[in-house]
Amino acid sequence: MVKMTRSKTFQAYLPSCHRTYSCIHCRAHLANHDELISKSFQGSQGRAYLFNSVVNVGCGPAEERVLLTGLHAVADIYCENCKTTLGWKYGSVCSWHPVTSRESKPL
């Protein structure tokens, strides 16, 4: 369960009884460990994690990028609190590439 608040710091606090992932700069909660799908992705700056859902993030405009697995529609995601770029979110996959379970998932 996510507790929604009007605090200046975070928009949502995750339950403290779970292991959580947070922004490295401002410690805003981003995801519960239960939302982690995979740690076996590679980003441009190293290891990337695939989550089912996240909180306290904003989303930039979608654009097509060539990734290791081909051309994908992705949008950068950033921390809503400190505006640090955190990664990207898969959008709809290009028509010539098979639809995968990654679609609409934050990474």
Side-chain angles (χ1 to χ4, degrees):
M1 181 171 117
V2 175
K3 179 182 174 187
M4 302 304 283
T5 69
R6 292 281 182 201
S7 171
K8 286 184 179 179
T9 310
F10 310 141
Q11 292 180 356
Y13 287 90
L14 298 173
S16 59
C17 61
H18 291 89
R19 182 173 157 196
T20 59
Y21 293 88
S22 59
C23 176
I24 193 167
H25 295 286
C26 70
R27 309 306 294 165
H29 293 175
L30 300 174
N32 277 329
H33 183 69
D34 296 342
E35 296 296 324
L36 180 64
I37 296 172
S38 175
K39 291 184 177 182
S40 62
F41 282 85
Q42 186 68 30
S44 62
Q45 298 180 359
R47 183 191 290 185
Y49 296 173
L50 180 67
F51 290 93
N52 188 48
S53 67
V54 293
V55 296
N56 297 322
V57 298
C59 188
E63 63 185 28
E64 289 186 347
R65 291 187 197 157
V66 178
L67 304 176
L68 292 174
T69 55
L71 186 63
H72 295 273
V74 297
D76 285 336
I77 59 173
Y78 57 89
C79 175
E80 278 285 349
N81 188 50
C82 69
K83 307 304 182 205
T84 299
T85 300
L86 300 169
W88 68 91
K89 174 182 170 181
Y90 283 101
S92 55
V93 180
C94 297
S95 59
W96 56 267
H97 195 278
V99 175
T100 66
S101 62
R102 297 184 298 226
E103 192 169 318
S104 298
K105 304 290 188 208
L107 185 70

